[in-house]
């Protein structure tokens, strides 16, 4: 995120250990006193700025671009964190410079996102900084009401978000609402919900204080045009809803029944998401048409500007645009045409189980024969698929470069993903597929100059995500796909079925849009499965999957546990599925990351997660 406002006036003290005590009770080093920092808006906002960088950019953190930990991706290097997670070694989350959980770097001011703190250490640093702002806001006697409000709104937003970041991976965690300076005991709450409700209160405070658009505010004029990544009212409501939906989900509720949600929390989540949908109706946000969907992820009007288009709700700091773009895009493609040594390829099991057919059915439902003559052909698995399959997945024969390649390079013009093909190698695809969600086909090492025209980037919160979470919360609360929310002030009050139809209307571009069969609509559990499949397709490879399959308590089931590849010959005469890994995933041990031993041994009242 490019922000030109005053640089942070504080530098974080360097820490070397990983327990929360190390990050929460130390004062930051500074050449300025607290009174000087909070003497005016520019200095105070400079202090707040660092919280944006403390929020981990998960697609490019820790020096290893290995950000898919669910059933959706396969990393070519055996020692990468996701491969270790496949072996049940979740304790590698504490390995320095491996992934985005804890990477050993201490300075959030580093322009290179790979050298910033991870989720654990960065979140704890951020919580302390947010509390410093909240406790010292009254020192700003000369600030306007609007300036005080936006500073305080950002502090509440980040305090809530940093807690949520920790909780979605480690589970129950105490809510820290003051600057800790003396001896203290942080006791884990009895339930996930207890802290989630405190997170919810802070997100609501933030929503009440933050502007809808910084560009329309006096304090935003200094960075006019560069405010896209800032915390706003819409972002606060979006994360408020997500926090409540996650807390309501089966895992966090404490049940193994994947369809059993906390209905009360789901109702509150619906109300929060509805506030974002109202902003959509007002023109603040808008779903991007299918023929321009690339704009959300990489296609932008000017060189190195932020992507996201009208769907963007919150983009946290990407730091060095050039490095982020090159690294993210290259890691999702064959090393031979990106000059990168690592490659994540999408798994066949994820694609087969979620990307359905042009008739709107999952492959399983299509083959059942219950909804007409099956259209899926095992000998022609690439034909007749959901339009989004072709939008985001590179299949055998797809064009890889817009530039005409000749001589020895000619083999890289089109994907050769069959067994023994040019791009079915150790440095390329292991599964028979490659990504293109973040990757312009012209961004190759043969046409590097054109890469400056695009900035591939991971979006932390976007409008499609909000619609799908709204539908899930509404369905879980009412157990009916056709019931609307009834939220006051929402002009276009959608049911869960309406949301699916809207997503499909976009993907099929309003022509022959397939309807969800009545037999699925009439069955709450079947429709929940269909809604989850819709989410899996729309939000694929956007770092939501591992949380989703855990909160739904399905990560240990064979369909999600076993990673596979699609094997086939050059002439497409034989297609077979092979097992890459039967992941070690047992409930409940592998549903939560373990805390570091020094954290759980610090004092009584902070027990380790089960199985660790």
């Amino acid at each position: 995120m490019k922000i030109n406002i005053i640089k942070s006036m504080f530098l974080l003290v360097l820490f070397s250990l990983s327990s929360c005590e190390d990050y929460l009770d130390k004062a930051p080093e500074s050449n300025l006193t607290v009174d000087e920092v909070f003497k005016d808006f520019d200095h105070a906002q400079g202090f707040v700025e660092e919280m944006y960088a403390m929020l981990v950019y998960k697609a490019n953190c820790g020096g290893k671009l290995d950000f898919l930990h669910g059933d959706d991706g396969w990393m070519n290097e055996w020692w990468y964190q996701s491969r270790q997670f496949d072996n049940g070694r979740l304790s590698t989350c504490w390995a320095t410079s491996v992934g985005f959980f804890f990477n050993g770097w201490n300075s959030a001011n580093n322009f290179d996102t790979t050298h910033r703190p991870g989720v654990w250490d960065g979140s704890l640093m951020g919580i302390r900084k947010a509390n410093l702002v909240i406790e010292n806001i009254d020192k700003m006697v000369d600030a306007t009401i609007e300036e005080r409000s936006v500073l305080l709104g950002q502090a509440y937003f980040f305090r809530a978000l940093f807690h949520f970041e920790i909780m979605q991976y480690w589970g129950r965690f105490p809510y820290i609402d003051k600057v800790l300076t003396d001896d203290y005991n942080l006791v884990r709450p009895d339930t996930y919900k207890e802290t989630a409700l405190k997170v919810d209160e802070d997100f609501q405070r933030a929503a009440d204080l933050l502007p809808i658009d910084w560009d329309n505010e006096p304090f935003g004029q200094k960075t006019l045009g560069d405010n896209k990544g800032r915390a706003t009212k819409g972002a606060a409501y979006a994360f408020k809803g997500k926090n409540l939906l996650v807390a309501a989900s089966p895992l966090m509720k404490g049940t193994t029944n994947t369809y059993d949600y906390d209905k009360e929390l789901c109702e509150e989540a619906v109300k929060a998401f509805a506030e974002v949908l109202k902003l959509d109706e007002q023109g603040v946000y808008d779903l991007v048409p299918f023929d321009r969907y690339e704009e959300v992820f990489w296609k932008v009007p000017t060189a190195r500007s932020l992507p996201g288009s009208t769907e963007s709700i919150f983009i946290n700091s990407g730091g060095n645009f050039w490095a982020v773009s090159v690294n993210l895009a290259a890691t999702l493609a064959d090393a031979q045409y990106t000059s990168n040594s690592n490659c994540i390829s999408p798994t066949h099991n994820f694609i087969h189980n979620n990307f359905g057919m042009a008739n709107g059915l999952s492959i399983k439902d299509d083959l059942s024969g219950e909804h007409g003559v099956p259209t899926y052909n095992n000998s022609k698995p690439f034909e007749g698929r959901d339009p989004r399959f072709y939008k985001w997945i590179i299949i055998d024969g797809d064009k890889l470069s817009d530039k005409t390649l000749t001589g020895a390079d000619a083999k890289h013009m089109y994907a050769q993903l069959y067994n023994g093909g040019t791009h079915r190698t150790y440095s390329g695809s292991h599964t028979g597929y490659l990504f293109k969600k973040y990757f312009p086909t012209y961004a190759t090492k043969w046409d590097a100059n054109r890469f400056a025209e695009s900035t591939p980037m991971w979006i932390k919160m976007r409008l499609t995500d909000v619609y799908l979470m709204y539908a899930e919360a509404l369905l879980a609360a009412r157990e009916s796909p056709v019931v609307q929310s009834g939220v006051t002030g929402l002009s276009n009050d959608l049911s869960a079925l309406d949301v699916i139809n809207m997503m499909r209307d976009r993907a099929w571009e309003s022509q022959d849009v397939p309807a969800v069969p009545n037999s699925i609509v009439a069955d709450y559990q079947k429709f929940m499965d269909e809604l989850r499949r819709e989410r899996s397709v729309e939000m694929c490879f956007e770092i939501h999957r591992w949380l989703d399959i855990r909160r739904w308590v399905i990560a240990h089931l064979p369909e999600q546990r076993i990673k596979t590849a699609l094997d086939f010959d050059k002439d497409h005469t034989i297609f077979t599925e092979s097992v890459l890994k039967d992941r070690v995933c047992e409930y409940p041990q592998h549903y939560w990351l373990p805390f570091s031993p020094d954290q759980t041994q610090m004092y009584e009242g902070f027990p380790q997660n089960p199985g660790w």
Side-chain angles (χ1 to χ4, degrees):
M1 178 176 62
K2 183 180 179 182
I3 295 177
N4 296 325
I5 206 164
I6 293 284
K7 246 181 110 174
S8 176
M9 295 298 176
F10 273 26
L11 295 176
L12 290 177
V13 67
L14 299 181
F15 302 109
S16 59
L17 300 177
S18 58
S19 70
C20 18
E21 186 174 63
D22 299 303
Y23 297 108
L24 293 171
D25 64 353
K26 305 291 195 303
E29 294 178 337
S30 173
N31 295 322
L32 302 176
T33 66
V34 171
D35 288 338
E36 289 174 318
V37 168
F38 290 97
K39 69 180 181 181
D40 58 38
F41 178 76
D42 284 352
H43 284 75
Q45 181 61 31
F47 184 73
V48 167
E49 286 299 316
E50 200 169 44
M51 284 188 279
Y52 287 89
M54 289 175 179
L55 189 61
V56 174
Y57 185 77
K58 297 173 186 174
N60 188 19
C61 180
K64 302 293 184 293
L65 302 183
D66 179 18
F67 53 87
L68 302 180
H69 296 91
D71 61 337
D72 48 346
W74 180 259
M75 194 73 189
N76 63 336
E77 299 283 0
W78 69 269
W79 45 271
Y80 273 28
Q81 193 171 82
S82 64
R83 294 285 292 274
Q84 297 304 309
F85 276 31
D86 289 344
N87 291 321
R89 299 170 185 161
L90 272 61
S91 58
T92 59
C93 69
W94 296 109
T96 300
S97 297
V98 170
F100 60 74
F101 300 108
F102 174 81
N103 56 52
W105 299 98
N106 300 290
S107 175
N109 293 310
N110 201 307
F111 196 49
D112 184 350
T113 59
T114 66
H115 289 181
R116 292 182 186 171
V119 170
W120 176 260
D121 37 343
S123 296
L124 293 175
M125 292 177 182
I127 289 170
R128 175 180 174 82
K129 182 173 280 284
N131 282 327
L132 281 168
V133 174
I134 293 168
E135 292 186 11
N136 289 281
I137 195 68
D138 289 339
K139 290 183 170 62
M140 297 192 61
V141 294
D142 294 328
T144 67
I145 294 176
E146 291 78 12
E147 289 172 341
R148 287 166 56 92
S149 294
V150 75
L151 289 167
L152 198 55
Q154 290 174 95
Y156 282 128
F157 175 82
F158 280 112
R159 186 168 74 176
L161 189 52
F162 286 130
H163 279 90
F164 176 71
E165 285 286 281
I166 291 175
M167 291 166 63
Q168 65 180 306
Y169 299 115
W170 282 275
R172 295 179 293 119
F173 192 76
Y175 204 71
I176 304 160
D177 58 2
K178 62 181 180 180
V179 178
L180 301 177
T181 55
D182 301 317
D183 291 337
Y184 57 87
N185 288 338
L186 294 178
V187 178
R188 290 191 77 184
D190 293 331
T191 65
Y192 185 100
K193 181 178 180 179
E194 181 179 334
T195 302
L197 290 176
K198 294 180 180 179
V199 170
D200 179 64
E201 291 176 0
D202 268 358
F203 275 134
Q204 184 59 59
R205 293 186 182 105
D208 292 339
L209 293 167
L210 289 170
I212 293 175
D213 187 341
W214 280 62
D215 283 356
N216 296 332
E217 303 295 335
F219 50 75
Q221 295 305 299
K222 295 180 181 180
T223 51
L224 189 65
D226 286 328
N227 291 317
K228 189 172 183 178
R230 294 194 178 281
T232 61
K233 186 180 297 293
Y237 274 121
F239 282 108
K240 173 182 168 72
K242 183 172 185 177
N243 168 63
L244 289 168
L245 175 59
V246 170
S249 297
L251 176 66
M252 289 69 179
K253 184 182 178 183
T255 176
T256 57
N257 180 352
T258 187
Y259 304 107
D260 184 12
Y261 289 72
D262 184 318
K263 293 184 179 181
E264 181 181 354
L265 288 181
C266 283
E267 289 283 4
E268 294 303 311
V270 168
K271 296 175 185 176
F273 290 133
E275 294 303 315
V276 184
L277 303 190
K278 291 176 185 178
L279 294 175
D280 178 23
E281 293 178 348
Q282 296 168 23
V284 177
Y285 309 113
D286 194 18
L287 291 176
V288 175
F290 198 65
D291 62 354
R292 293 177 21 229
Y293 213 164
E294 289 85 359
E295 294 176 14
V296 175
F297 310 105
W298 58 263
K299 189 176 182 180
V300 292
T302 57
R304 303 191 193 182
S305 61
L306 287 175
S309 192
T310 55
E311 284 214 18
S312 176
I313 295 176
F314 189 69
I315 307 177
N316 67 290
S317 177
N320 186 332
F321 279 130
W322 185 249
V324 168
S325 300
V326 172
N327 289 338
L328 174 59
T331 304
L332 303 175
D334 189 292
Q336 296 175 84
Y337 64 92
T338 61
S339 300
N340 184 66
S341 62
N342 311 312
C343 177
I344 307 175
S345 46
T347 57
H348 177 64
N349 55 283
F350 176 77
I351 292 174
H352 185 82
N353 294 334
N354 295 289
F355 282 86
M357 306 302 297
N359 60 14
L361 296 171
S362 67
I363 291 177
K364 181 179 179 180
D365 285 334
D366 179 76
L367 291 175
S368 71
E370 297 177 5
H371 310 289
V373 178
T375 61
Y376 181 75
N377 188 336
N378 283 310
S379 63
K380 299 178 179 180
F382 304 143
E383 296 183 5
R385 303 295 294 272
D386 182 323
R388 293 165 292 190
F389 173 77
Y390 306 105
K391 195 78 164 177
W392 296 320
I393 306 296
I394 295 176
I395 58 176
D396 190 54
D398 277 357
K399 191 176 181 180
L400 294 180
S401 178
D402 283 355
K403 185 175 182 179
T404 300
L405 305 180
T406 60
D409 293 333
K411 62 185 177 181
H412 296 295
M413 275 290 297
Y414 298 93
Q416 299 180 27
L417 296 171
Y418 51 85
N419 286 61
T422 297
H423 307 112
R424 188 71 178 266
T425 64
Y426 183 80
S427 64
S429 174
H430 286 209
T431 65
Y433 307 92
L434 285 170
F435 292 92
K436 61 179 176 181
K437 195 167 193 178
Y438 299 95
F439 193 79
T441 55
Y442 57 73
T444 66
K445 65 183 180 183
W446 297 284
D447 202 5
N449 291 334
R450 291 191 64 193
F451 192 79
E453 298 174 11
S454 303
T455 303
M457 188 170 288
W458 166 62
I459 311 299
K460 191 168 182 66
M461 180 66 72
R462 64 186 183 96
L463 188 58
T464 292
D465 192 8
V466 170
Y467 270 107
L468 290 166
M469 290 190 292
Y470 161 87
E472 181 183 346
L474 181 58
L475 177 63
R478 312 292 177 83
E479 294 192 359
S480 170
V482 297
V483 173
Q484 297 174 324
S485 70
V487 174
T488 303
L490 192 59
S491 300
N492 187 20
D493 195 355
L494 302 174
S495 67
L497 178 59
D498 291 332
V499 171
I500 284 188
N501 289 337
M502 181 171 62
M503 295 299 160
R504 293 187 177 184
D505 182 71
R506 172 171 63 173
W508 272 261
E509 298 181 282
S510 301
Q511 297 181 3
D512 299 322
V513 180
V516 181
N518 292 332
S519 59
I520 294 178
V521 175
D523 188 311
Y524 161 66
Q525 294 187 4
K526 288 182 179 180
F527 190 85
M528 179 63 81
D529 291 340
E530 187 69 358
L531 180 59
R532 289 174 177 176
R533 188 175 72 84
E534 191 73 19
R535 174 175 176 79
S536 301
V537 171
E538 283 285 347
M539 305 306 296
C540 64
F541 319 127
E542 296 184 45
I543 325 183
H544 300 289
R545 181 65 177 174
W546 194 49
L547 173 61
D548 284 343
I549 61 176
R550 288 186 298 113
R551 67 185 180 87
W552 296 333
V553 199
I554 61 173
H556 64 290
L557 301 180
E559 281 191 342
Q560 286 70 232
R561 196 186 69 240
I562 301 174
K563 291 186 176 182
T564 66
L566 183 64
D567 297 317
F568 53 97
D569 62 344
K570 182 177 182 179
D571 297 324
H572 292 193
T573 59
I574 299 176
F575 289 88
T576 59
E577 185 178 18
S578 62
V579 175
L580 293 169
K581 180 70 177 181
D582 189 343
R583 299 165 55 229
V584 177
C585 184
E586 298 179 1
Y587 175 85
Q589 181 181 8
H590 298 103
Y591 275 72
W592 296 114
L593 296 181
F595 290 98
S596 64
D598 58 333
Q599 177 66 58
T600 58
Q601 296 170 10
M602 194 183 304
Y603 40 72
E604 293 185 6
F606 206 104
Q608 182 60 275
N609 278 325
W612 301 102

